[in-house]
Amino acid sequence: AEPIKDMQYLIGVDWGRSNDSTVFSVIDVTNRRQVIRDRMQDTDYASQRIRLKALAERYNNAHIIAEANSMGQPNIEALQSMGCYVTAFTTTNATKAHIIQGLELAFERGQVELLNNEYQITELMAYQSEKLPSGLIRYGSPEGLHDDTVMALALAWSGVDVPAANKLVDFV
């Protein structure tokens, strides 16, 4: 969907390069619907950042919630120096559980509308939880599959599904 003037959008970012894909998931905060899902592989980080900046600008200077792990933090710092508004999300078992459970609840309540994208649907349907011997629950995709679109969507949704008038949470 094309951006609507004065609407607020959020972009969830899951970084990848060669084995994993980078995915940008854009959500319309007011209507709680996914409007764009951009997935790329074998794309250098400089090009990814330029593409993300252009996407954020196109969607009314959308706020970006990006994974900070691994190559995420240098990309976040570069985006911030480019004038993008970015919140870093450090993925741990606990923070991942929090955003995945929030997205799961939104699905159960019918609060989020997704694009009809076969790749994304396949990843969402394959996504699973596993109880560990410690009692913790690990979330992820089965061996041989990826969770890039799931994580980008969950990151974007984490900014929408925040109490107190859509105040963004800093996950650093």
Side-chain angles (χ1 to χ4, degrees):
E2 290 300 313
I4 299 170
K5 187 179 183 215
D6 298 326
M7 291 292 254
Q8 182 184 5
Y9 297 92
L10 287 167
I11 304 174
V13 178
D14 184 63
W15 301 106
R17 180 87 185 256
S18 54
N19 186 35
D20 281 339
S21 299
T22 291
V23 177
F24 306 148
S25 185
V26 182
I27 291 186
D28 171 342
V29 173
T30 303
N31 297 311
R32 294 176 170 235
R33 66 185 178 108
Q34 184 184 36
V35 294
I36 293 279
R37 186 206 54 97
D38 187 7
R39 180 177 171 266
M40 66 203 85
Q41 196 170 18
D42 295 322
T43 305
D44 64 89
Y45 288 119
S47 296
Q48 290 180 33
R49 291 190 303 268
I50 291 168
R51 195 161 158 175
L52 180 55
K53 179 178 172 37
L55 185 65
E57 288 174 348
R58 179 176 168 210
Y59 281 88
N60 304 335
N61 294 312
H63 181 97
I64 300 164
I65 302 173
E67 180 182 34
N69 302 56
S70 186
M71 285 306 299
Q73 191 59 43
N75 281 317
I76 289 167
E77 291 171 10
L79 284 164
Q80 289 169 333
S81 72
M82 295 166 67
C84 295
Y85 184 40
V86 186
T87 296
F89 179 90
T90 301
T91 305
T92 65
N93 191 53
T95 61
K96 189 175 192 177
H98 178 75
I99 65 169
I100 293 300
Q101 290 168 2
L103 182 60
E104 182 179 40
L105 186 59
F107 288 147
E108 288 184 24
R109 292 179 174 170
Q111 294 176 321
V112 61
E113 180 184 336
L114 300 182
L115 294 169
N116 186 13
N117 177 274
E118 187 176 334
Y119 189 88
Q120 179 174 258
I121 292 168
T122 299
E123 274 196 10
L124 285 164
M125 296 300 290
Y127 205 78
Q128 60 190 14
S129 62
E130 172 189 0
K131 189 168 186 172
L132 301 174
S134 66
L136 294 175
I137 296 178
R138 176 177 43 211
Y139 292 91
S141 56
E143 180 124 5
L145 298 178
H146 297 278
D147 67 353
D148 310 310
T149 60
V150 175
M151 287 303 297
L153 178 62
L155 287 166
W157 183 255
S158 73
V160 174
D161 189 34
V162 178
N166 295 324
K167 290 183 181 174
L168 294 169
V169 175
D170 189 355
F171 291 100
V172 177

